Amino acid sequence: MPPVATSQQSVSSNGSHAHKSARMGNGVDSVHSSHSESRWSTSMAPIIVFDSTKGAKIQKGKSTSICCPPTRELFLLPALPLASSRVRTTGHFHPRIAETLVEQAQKLTLSSRAFYNSVFPKFARQITEMFSYESVLLMNTGAEAVETAVKLARKWSYMKKGVPEGKAVVMSFEGNFHGRTLGVISMSTDPDSRGGFGPYLDGVGSTVHDNGETQTIRYGVIEDLERALDLNGKHVAAFLVKPIQGEAGIVVPPSGYLARVRELCTKHNVLLSCDEIQTGLCRTGKMLCCEHDQIRPDIVLLGKALSGGVYPVSAVLVDRDIMYCIRPGEHGSTYDGNPLGCAVAMTVIHVLVDEKLSERAETLGRDLPQRNCGIEVTARATSPRQGSTECNRHRRSEQCQGKDCVAVLPALEEPRRACEADIVRFAPPLVISEEDLRKAVNVIAECLNDLDRLDDIPGEVESEKGHKDVLTN
């Protein structure tokens, strides 16, 4: 079993590797090698090669696109790929985080889970006290944290709620995205995530059977959730929800929605599990996004920014009555709770607090909509989270499709995951300066304007023209 803590507590002999290394070379050449000799876990626009980064800028890199001259300054404004999917909240190579990484790496990086290490208890106390939960279970990636939450909820439902063995249901919402493992995509309604990977996990997802018809639980529509729980509440172990849906196009629920979700979950004895892997840790102007609705979830999932962008760490925060449903040996990962990851995460939290990055997110987010730059700006509809830098959306006419932007502006977020037809998502490192943010938004405005004047989009794949998503079961 992984560490659970409470607030109380080389080259082959024939030289083939060397030959391959020499053949791959550096910079732009390595892009072609990586595409032909390996498979990245997500689709990419092969137009920028990173060499070094710092703060909110790329220090050194090369472009393979005519749209991005090598001399052009690049910012880590969007979430993907430059800001690494909301991981770079503290920017690239933050000196305090880098110092911690090097210092701990010289002492102890990994210890057997059969023994304690000296760093994990310190981090466990820090994170449980900060978020006011009784225990934490550490994993490595966000998807692992989500899978852990599903297992915890199921086990709790059998032991505490009395759900018959094998009947527990973990529900989600239409448009959800919680990762790409098999259990998680089984919840998804996104054809790009699900298509071709079935059969899927039973007992998870966003659909219910109502009078012989299959109904989908729509995000932000409280009546759908109410009906689902009225029909199936006795078997539902948990509802998994993001305070803001990112991949679906920055969908912000109506004001008070999460509070009503909390009420319904309490009424039906269902665990409320909040995926704060993207929205948490200062991204929306609060340490947790759900704080805007003044609720306390039963399960909180953290990741991404918790790593500082240097070492993967994720966390599942719960109270003891849920955590202790899992016994030693029933769940774990080789690297969970390792001292290197714990040391890095401790420093990340110190940086978030010491540099007041929640307040900075609020300031940058409120200022961003004022920089119209020729783009029609649609600010978020929910005033309590108006300042979030995760969720401000910039819209253009329907002729300018979000997924086209990457061909003109390499610094835009990777389109097939992040953009709906007319939405570009901004998730800048919170250490970015006001001047750099203004400059980056101006560049984006220029590129969107350029799109309207292009008959052919550079780099557009012929097979993707006119493509329509179709969900396969």
Side-chain angles (χ1 to χ4, degrees), residues 139-150 178-184 275 277 301-304 314:
M139 300 302 289
N140 307 290
T141 66
E144 284 180 285
V146 175
E147 296 273 1
T148 299
V150 172
H178 301 283
R180 297 193 182 277
T181 56
L182 184 59
V184 176
D275 180 347
I277 292 166
L301 310 179
L302 296 174
K304 292 192 182 292
S314 61

Side-chain angles (χ1 to χ4, degrees), residues 417-438:
R417 283 186 57 191
C419 299
E420 287 297 299
D422 59 350
I423 297 172
V424 175
R425 176 165 55 180
F426 299 113
L430 299 182
V431 297
I432 193 171
S433 69
E434 287 85 349
E435 180 184 357
D436 284 345
L437 181 61
R438 184 183 303 111

Side-chain angles (χ1 to χ4, degrees), residues 23-36 49 62 64:
R23 178 165 49 85
M24 286 179 66
N26 296 310
V28 173
D29 292 339
S30 67
V31 172
H32 306 293
S33 296
S34 69
H35 274 271
S36 62
V49 182
K62 296 181 180 180
T64 64

